[in-house]
Amino acid sequence: MWSEGRYEYERIPRERAPPRSHPSVYRQDCETFGMVVKMLIEKDPSLEKSIQFALRQNLHEIGERCVEELKHFIAEYDTSTQDFGEPF
């Protein structure tokens, strides 16, 4: 069902959205990365400073890629629904 959400991704039916672009998938990825980093630091505490910085950078880059992928998908979706009139 179509709805005008607060966020761009809420306008797209979840089953039509690209699989890696939904915020819950991004959050799950962040939690997984965080858990792995925590496990590594528990094994070798000397890694903490360098690995925490690398984790932040990587999560930021992943987030940016997800946002860009979603923006691209929304633009394509909007274009395709204009061809058919009102969205479903």
Side-chain angles (χ1 to χ4, degrees):
M1 179 173 197
W2 181 265
S3 67
E4 290 295 325
R6 287 191 321 218
Y7 304 106
E8 286 292 310
Y9 69 84
E10 290 178 333
R11 297 186 316 114
I12 309 299
R14 184 168 184 165
E15 62 275 2
R16 301 242 355 241
R20 307 273 334 143
S21 65
H22 198 273
S24 65
V25 174
Y26 172 70
R27 182 182 7 245
Q28 185 178 12
D29 285 352
C30 289
E31 289 171 358
T32 301
F33 277 102
M35 182 177 62
V36 170
V37 166
K38 183 179 177 181
M39 292 167 58
L40 291 170
I41 292 170
E42 285 174 359
K43 297 286 184 190
D44 184 355
S46 69
L47 294 172
E48 185 167 7
K49 258 189 181 172
S50 61
I51 205 166
Q52 291 289 355
F53 178 74
L55 173 66
R56 267 195 233 75
Q57 278 188 312
N58 281 305
L59 292 179
H60 181 75
E61 290 169 8
I62 291 168
E64 287 179 339
R65 282 195 302 268
C66 287
V67 167
E68 288 305 312
E69 180 182 341
L70 189 56
K71 284 180 180 178
H72 178 72
F73 179 82
I74 289 170
E76 286 182 354
Y77 182 83
D78 286 348
T79 300
S80 71
T81 58
Q82 287 174 359
D83 296 340
F84 297 107
E86 279 296 308
F88 300 99

